[in-house]
């Protein structure tokens, strides 16, 4: 008895699932990516605006946290606008 497996495309998965769990999963990936990019940008801005080596870790961490939240929110809004 031979079994064969086929990789399904995104469109086929959406047709099977009706856009439910698969679409939610893809949105979570999108938002996670936005948070990651926001963390990097916010951290860089925080460190760059710290003014001294002594304040850089605190400002960098605060900037990264704010960037992660902002990046996630922006990514979610873009996803909702596109889908």
């Amino acid at each position: 008895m031979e079994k064969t497996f086929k990789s399904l495309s995104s469109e086929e998965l959406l047709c099977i699932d009706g856009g439910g769990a698969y679409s939610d999963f893809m949105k979570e990936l999108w938002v996670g990516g936005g948070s990651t990019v926001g963390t990097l940008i916010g951290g860089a801005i925080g460190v760059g605006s710290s003014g001294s080596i002594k304040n850089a870790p605190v400002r960098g961490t605060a900037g990264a946290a704010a960037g992660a939240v902002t990046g996630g929110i922006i990514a979610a809004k873009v996803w909702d606008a596109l889908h």
Side-chain angles (χ1 to χ4, degrees), residues 19-74:
Y22 178 75
S23 181
D24 293 343
F25 174 71
M26 292 306 292
K27 182 177 180 179
E28 291 298 323
L29 287 178
W30 182 267
V31 171
S35 291
T36 302
V37 170
T39 299
L40 295 171
I41 293 171
I45 291 171
V47 169
S49 68
S50 66
S52 72
I53 292 292
K54 190 168 94 177
N55 294 334
V58 174
R59 294 258 178 123
T61 303
V69 172
T70 305
I73 291 170
I74 292 170

